Amino acid sequence: MLGVDPGTTATGYGVVERPEAGPYRLVECGVIRPPAKRPLAGKLDAIFTELEGLIARHRPSALAVENVFVARNARSALVLGHARGVILLAAQQAGLPVHEMPPAVIKKAVVGTGNASKEQVQFMVARLLRLKKAPEPADAADGVAAALACCLAPTLPTIAEANAAPRGRVVRA
Amino acid sequence: MLGVDPGTTATGYGVVERPEAGPYRLVECGVIRPPAKRPLAGKLDAIFTELEGLIARHRPSALAVENVFVARNARSALVLGHARGVILLAAQQAGLPVHEMPPAVIKKAVVGTGNASKEQVQFMVARLLRLKKAPEPADAADGVAAALACCLAPTLPTIAEANAAPRGRVVRA
């Protein structure tokens, strides 16, 4: 499972897998940081190309991404949308289903409550993945949390289903 | 010159060229309408793939796109950003410079005044391209207007330059 936390300056990601036996395992996490001076189109290309590489390398079963419909303002929503757009495109072109989850659903899946703090989420992420501490930096940790939440909530609707049904159901397997 | 008016339900485009002699010429215009039922990632893929095809077919010198930082709300800005993201990516991957123009700059380039009405823009688009009437539907016309404005304002900064300098200069050749 590939989880992504989109942004044009920093896109965090985490790859989580469940071995045949045993707990979930963090395979890789990190942050894509396109050079700040690059024009927007170049930044998007960097994000897209890195994601293509990640998908080719790890062949995840799906893409998990936070479903943000709240932004500071229309301008920041627009810029965030650009990054999300190329991330969804990379998933689509690789044939991966996309799971969009509202932040509360990620928190509920990982911590058990939808209004958990960022620290609680990171604590549980580290614990569930048996890490000594939460993944760093914070953007990478958010990508990992999305991936883990999606693993823990395997019946989350894909975008296609979510469009036809109420969002945010989490049914633990 | 390829002009695009982004949107996830309808992305208008127009290809305008200047022959060695004579006036600007409308080569092709139209609207990309991904199937409404397709999930967002699929719609973005449809837009990206169509644009790739357009660029391969016409080999435009650049991409012109309206620089919208005003949207009804953060949600619609986010969705619009997704479409713009894959459009900028298509241009970048084809090596096309991207010219972002605020709506007022497009109007000024085509009509001569930055607060021209939509009807005035379309009237002048038809006139400058020697068409009997404005391109249809409206989304296609907006793409054509962006392309034409960019042709008429050849020293418009690309995104890279615009990021380093005040935007919206129009210097007619």
Side-chain angles (χ1 to χ4, degrees), chain B residues 76-95:
Chain B
S76 58
L78 185 76
V79 175
L80 175 63
H82 284 69
R84 279 187 113 248
V86 301
I87 288 162
L88 297 187
L89 179 67
Q92 176 73 22
Q93 293 206 333

Side-chain angles (χ1 to χ4, degrees), chain A residues 45 68 74 77-78 81-82 84 93, chain B residues 45 68 74 77-78 81-82 84 93:
Chain A
D45 190 31
V68 191
L78 185 77
H82 284 70
R84 279 187 113 247
Q93 293 205 333
Chain B
D45 190 32
V68 192
L78 185 76
H82 284 69
R84 279 187 113 248
Q93 293 206 333

Side-chain angles (χ1 to χ4, degrees), chain B residues 9-10 12-13 19-20 28 47 56 61-62 74 83 91 101 116-117 119 125 129 132 139 143 150 157 167:
Chain B
T9 53
Y13 65 87
E20 297 256 326
E28 180 180 337
I47 295 167
S61 58
M101 294 169 291
S117 70
E119 291 71 30
V125 163
L129 293 171
K132 284 185 186 147
D139 294 302
C150 202
R167 295 194 179 206

Side-chain angles (χ1 to χ4, degrees), chain A residues 37-42 44-46 48-49 52 67-71 73-86 88-89 91-93 98 100 159-160 163 167, chain B residues 37-42 44-46 48-49 52 67-71 73-86 88-89 91-93 98 100 159-160 163 167:
Chain A
K37 285 187 178 167
R38 206 178 278 190
L40 180 56
L44 298 173
D45 190 31
F48 179 80
T49 306
E52 271 190 329
N67 183 354
V68 191
F69 285 122
V70 187
N73 53 49
R75 161 89 199 230
S76 57
L78 185 77
V79 175
L80 175 62
H82 284 70
R84 279 187 113 247
V86 302
L88 297 188
L89 179 68
Q92 175 74 21
Q93 293 205 333
V98 175
E100 285 194 296
I159 289 184
N163 283 344
R167 296 194 180 209
Chain B
K37 284 184 181 171
R38 204 177 280 190
L40 181 56
L44 297 172
D45 190 32
F48 180 80
T49 306
E52 271 191 329
N67 183 353
V68 192
F69 285 123
V70 187
N73 53 50
R75 160 90 200 229
S76 58
L78 185 76
V79 175
L80 175 63
H82 284 69
R84 279 187 113 248
V86 301
L88 297 187
L89 179 67
Q92 176 73 22
Q93 293 206 333
V98 175
E100 283 195 298
I159 290 184
N163 284 344
R167 295 194 179 206

